[in-house]
Amino acid sequence: MEEYLDQVWMGNTVKVYAIVLAQIIVVWILFKLLRKFIIAALKKFSARTHSQVDDAIVEAAEKFIIPFIFLMINYGIIQQLNLSVKVDHVLKVAVAVITAYYFVRFINHAMQLSVNLYMHSKNEPPERIKQVTGILSIFKAIVWLAGIVMLIDNLGYNITTLITGLGIGGIAIALAAQNILTDLFSYFVIFFDKPFSIGDAISINNAAGTVERIGIKTSHVRSLTGEQLVIPNADLVKSTIKNFKRQQRRGIIFKMNVRYDTPAENLDAIPQFVEQIIKAQPDITFDRCHLVAFADYSLTFETLYFVESTDYKLYLDRQQRIFREILKAFSERGIAFAIPGQTFILQQSPAVGEKK
């Protein structure tokens, strides 16, 4: 038996191979027990707490930290063997690749969890969280690219030419995709500044509708007449956006033009009965009613009131009722609205030969 164990295969005795194999098996069993008992216990403990941070730590340990440590321990065990230069180089390259892989995945995973925890802590809606996924995909790709460059550098290759090429290529791509990048940065502005969200009723330029989707390049708005408006994000950022959903109340200003020959007592009565009519309506706050201008053909009264709701139909109902009551009050008092017109003065021309 001793003679067999002392036999040399590829620079190592059978006994050394057996010891290394036994160590690998023991380590594998220990890590299996670690996952089955300790990690399971930590999961149960974290599930009982209100914080999600401990859940994230346990998940990261199970997915990345423990497997990486397991591979590194096995690599250290294998180093006990007398390896050839070629095999040792292959193992070192494999370890470098595995390290870069786990490092990049851990960074991306930590970034994803951190953003999700932050979004949930701010009680952000699911639509906003979906938007974050699109943004994180870009940053994850950048992290992977940086990880590959670092791996190539650690393997002993000169990356100066590669970085220079990436820089020149990046400039060329940026110039070629200038409009796309403008919309992309506009998407970031919309995401962080939050001028509107999915489901908001907005008005932009001459278009109005409900936001259905906020994409990386364009946003989709369903117009009031049913068409889908596809608007570049850059145009949205440059424009003035009215967000009706975020109204707390709606202010309404309207003007009334009455004739110049309206009696003074009626002019004094107009602000009073307009105030009474408006205050009699539910969900309405009266602000003012004044004679504000001597127009070309009329006296102009201006009225301001507020509807204490964002419901557009409620606003139309209240406004219709107010207008009808004002018309009724004008009719009862004999007050006439002014209508634009012109007055012509006719003068008879003198007969021929008649002195002027």
Side-chain angles (χ1 to χ4, degrees):
M1 186 68 177
E2 287 291 334
E3 293 180 358
Y4 176 74
L5 293 176
D6 291 334
Q7 289 182 8
V8 178
W9 293 85
M10 300 177 64
N12 298 281
T13 63
V14 175
K15 183 178 181 179
V16 173
Y17 283 122
I19 293 172
V20 169
L21 180 61
Q23 290 176 346
I24 291 174
I25 293 173
V26 170
V27 170
W28 180 79
I29 293 172
L30 290 175
F31 272 86
K32 280 289 183 180
L33 294 174
L34 175 66
R35 283 194 169 191
K36 185 175 181 180
F37 295 104
I38 298 180
I39 295 296
L42 290 175
K43 283 184 176 180
K44 290 181 180 179
F45 173 77
S46 62
R48 292 195 297 267
T49 62
H50 296 289
S51 175
Q52 294 182 337
V53 177
D54 50 3
D55 297 310
I57 294 174
V58 173
E59 184 180 358
E62 184 182 18
K63 285 186 175 181
F64 307 107
I65 299 175
I66 292 178
F68 179 72
I69 293 174
F70 174 72
L71 291 172
M72 290 300 103
I73 291 176
N74 284 326
Y75 174 70
I77 293 172
I78 294 173
Q79 287 295 306
Q80 299 177 55
L81 298 173
N82 231 346
L83 303 174
S84 64
V85 177
K86 186 175 181 179
V87 173
D88 187 58
H89 177 71
V90 170
L91 282 175
K92 286 182 179 179
V93 171
V95 169
V97 171
I98 292 171
T99 301
Y101 171 77
Y102 274 105
F103 179 76
V104 171
R105 284 200 61 195
F106 178 77
I107 293 296
N108 286 338
H109 184 75
M111 184 167 54
Q112 178 80 52
L113 283 176
S114 300
V115 172
N116 285 343
L117 288 174
Y118 176 78
M119 297 291 285
H120 284 295
S121 67
K122 295 295 182 180
N123 296 320
E124 295 285 356
E127 293 82 7
R128 292 269 300 169
I129 297 176
K130 289 180 181 179
Q131 293 175 38
V132 173
T133 305
I135 296 176
L136 286 179
S137 299
I138 299 172
F139 288 101
K140 286 179 180 179
I142 295 173
V143 173
W144 273 109
L145 181 61
I148 292 172
V149 172
M150 291 175 59
L151 173 63
I152 295 173
D153 183 50
N154 289 331
L155 293 177
Y157 295 97
N158 187 0
I159 62 171
T160 305
T161 305
L162 176 62
I163 294 176
T164 303
L166 289 174
I168 296 173
I171 294 173
I173 293 173
L175 292 174
Q178 186 175 2
N179 292 335
I180 296 176
L181 291 176
T182 301
D183 289 326
L184 176 61
F185 286 119
S186 299
Y187 171 73
F188 290 150
V189 172
I190 293 172
F191 179 81
F192 289 108
D193 196 41
K194 296 191 288 188
F196 55 84
S197 302
I198 294 175
D200 286 2
I202 66 171
S203 172
I204 170 174
N205 297 333
N206 296 324
T210 304
V211 180
E212 290 186 335
R213 178 178 177 272
I214 303 174
I216 292 179
K217 188 179 188 304
T218 61
S219 294
H220 298 176
V221 177
R222 183 68 60 180
S223 71
L224 299 177
T225 52
E227 301 92 351
Q228 186 184 66
L229 307 176
V230 181
I231 307 173
N233 291 331
D235 292 346
L236 289 171
V237 171
K238 294 176 185 176
S239 304
T240 300
I241 300 172
K242 295 180 181 179
N243 194 326
F244 298 110
K245 188 175 181 180
R246 298 181 185 177
Q247 279 185 316
Q248 295 181 348
R249 61 178 184 168
R250 187 185 299 270
I252 295 93
I253 296 178
F254 66 90
K255 295 181 179 181
M256 300 174 294
N257 298 318
V258 300
R259 294 174 50 165
Y260 269 102
D261 58 357
T262 303
E265 59 271 16
N266 284 341
L267 294 178
D268 294 337
I270 288 175
Q272 298 175 10
F273 68 71
V274 168
E275 180 178 356
Q276 292 173 359
I277 290 171
I278 293 176
K279 284 185 175 181
Q281 310 303 320
D283 307 311
I284 298 292
T285 301
F286 174 81
D287 187 88
R288 58 180 171 81
C289 178
H290 294 91
L291 175 63
V292 295
F294 295 103
D296 293 337
Y297 62 90
S298 66
L299 298 171
T300 302
F301 284 84
E302 183 178 86
T303 304
L304 170 64
Y305 69 90
F306 295 93
V307 180
E308 302 298 336
S309 172
T310 59
D311 189 341
Y312 187 70
K313 185 177 182 299
L314 176 66
Y315 146 66
L316 291 178
D317 290 340
R318 298 292 183 267
Q319 180 176 260
Q320 177 179 259
R321 188 178 301 173
I322 289 169
F323 284 176
R324 290 181 63 181
E325 292 294 328
I326 290 175
L327 286 172
K328 181 179 178 182
F330 271 43
S331 176
E332 291 174 351
R333 290 169 174 79
I335 303 173
F337 287 99
I339 300 174
Q342 292 179 328
T343 302
F344 296 94
I345 300 176
L346 301 177
Q347 183 177 359
Q348 184 177 4
S349 300
V352 178
E354 185 179 338
K355 293 183 179 180
K356 296 181 180 180

